[in-house]
Amino acid sequence: NAGVMQNPRHLVRRRGQEARLRCSPMKGHSHVYWYRQLPEEGLKFMVYLQKENIIDESGMPKERFSAEFPKEGPSILRIQQVVRGDSAAYFCASSPAAVYGYTFGSGTRLTVV
Amino acid sequence: KNEVEQSPQNLTAQEGEFITINCSYSVGISALHWLQQHPGGGIVSLFMLSSGKKKHGRLIATINIQEKHSSLHITASHPRDSAVYICAVKEGTGNQFYFGTGTSLTVIP
């Protein structure tokens, strides 16, 4: 069981480009959560997904950010037209059900230059 | 929105010392998570608890639901315990965890 896999580990994008962050949950986990950790700040919830459904996206910025968790393949967090303020560590976590705790991935560190 | 506060923010200890990190929250919860984050590294879940006490090796986590307070204890601390420890709480019907800003622990040999 490989755990929660996130890739890439580090991603550098120029302002205005798109960033795609991938998260493969643990085997048997159908619930995925994305969190963002800005420099010197705590983790903040972004979105909660189950297979093919967005359950709660109350923490997602209204523009430029989107997330999906297709029937096949990893969950994708997509940031369009990145700006410097998007530079952060993005963590994905998965669980077998909402009532359980979850396992975190190692994160993707996005740097916008 | 649940306000999660941790204390202390920073902690330096000598190897072998007993360490306590505290977490308090403002709204009733269904679960509380203690997480460990190493510098530049990923996040590891240490405990999830909703009542009482859990123990794993040198780590002990307790929670007092009435007082809205949890503690993480490390016995016989070691330099490899140096990390940021984060408390996260989940409200009864909510989908997300609310996180404290973490306690940065440094254990000196």
Side-chain angles (χ1 to χ4, degrees), chain A residues 33 35 37 43 45 48 56 58 91 98-102 104-106 109, chain B residues 33 35 37 40-45 48 86 90 95-97 99-101:
Chain A
Y33 305 78
Y35 287 87
Q37 188 176 39
L43 287 152
F45 169 79
Y48 162 40
D56 182 349
S58 58
F91 289 93
V99 297
Y100 293 105
Y102 36 69
F104 279 85
S106 298
R109 278 145 188 88
Chain B
H33 234 169
L35 307 166
Q37 184 174 29
I43 297 172
V44 175
S45 173
M48 187 170 102
I86 302 168
K90 186 176 183 183
N95 294 312
Q96 61 172 292
F97 276 85
F99 295 81
T101 51

Side-chain angles (χ1 to χ4, degrees), chain B residues 47-105:
Chain B
F47 295 103
M48 187 170 102
L49 63 165
S50 56
S51 65
K53 176 180 175 179
K54 285 191 176 180
K55 185 175 188 295
H56 185 251
R58 295 181 295 105
L59 301 176
I60 304 166
T62 63
I63 187 168
N64 185 317
I65 298 296
Q66 287 73 29
E67 295 187 2
K68 297 187 176 62
H69 180 268
S70 175
S71 293
L72 176 68
H73 306 285
I74 305 175
T75 61
S77 59
H78 190 277
R80 65 174 174 265
D81 297 326
S82 298
V84 175
Y85 292 83
I86 302 168
C87 169
V89 302
K90 186 176 183 183
E91 294 171 6
T93 56
N95 294 312
Q96 61 172 292
F97 276 85
Y98 294 95
F99 295 81
T101 51
T103 293
S104 179
L105 170 66

Side-chain angles (χ1 to χ4, degrees), chain A residues 3-18:
Chain A
V4 179
M5 304 299 293
Q6 286 189 250
N7 65 81
R9 289 293 302 274
H10 300 275
L11 181 61
V12 179
R13 284 286 177 267
R14 294 187 183 280
R15 278 181 298 170
Q17 290 185 320
E18 178 180 285

Side-chain angles (χ1 to χ4, degrees), chain A residues 2-113:
Chain A
V4 179
M5 304 299 293
Q6 286 189 250
N7 65 81
R9 289 293 302 274
H10 300 275
L11 181 61
V12 179
R13 284 286 177 267
R14 294 187 183 280
R15 278 181 298 170
Q17 290 185 320
E18 178 180 285
R20 278 182 179 245
L21 287 62
R22 294 175 184 77
C23 169
S24 297
M26 284 186 72
K27 187 177 181 181
H29 287 195
S30 59
H31 298 243
V32 166
Y33 305 78
W34 284 94
Y35 287 87
R36 178 165 66 173
Q37 188 176 39
L38 292 166
E40 308 301 323
E41 292 189 19
L43 287 152
K44 296 285 194 311
F45 169 79
M46 297 184 76
V47 62
Y48 162 40
L49 311 103
Q50 293 180 33
K51 284 285 187 182
E52 300 184 275
N53 288 303
I54 296 174
I55 307 302
D56 182 349
E57 57 181 348
S58 58
M60 288 274 273
K62 294 286 185 274
E63 298 177 350
R64 303 186 298 107
F65 285 72
S66 62
E68 63 177 7
F69 188 16
K71 187 176 180 181
E72 301 291 337
S75 175
I76 306 285
L77 179 67
R78 183 182 176 207
I79 311 171
Q80 294 178 291
Q81 299 173 340
V82 295
V83 300
R84 287 229 171 95
D86 297 332
S87 295
Y90 292 83
F91 289 93
C92 164
S94 73
S95 74
V99 297
Y100 293 105
Y102 36 69
T103 303
F104 279 85
S106 298
T108 293
R109 278 145 188 88
L110 172 65
T111 302
V112 179
V113 297

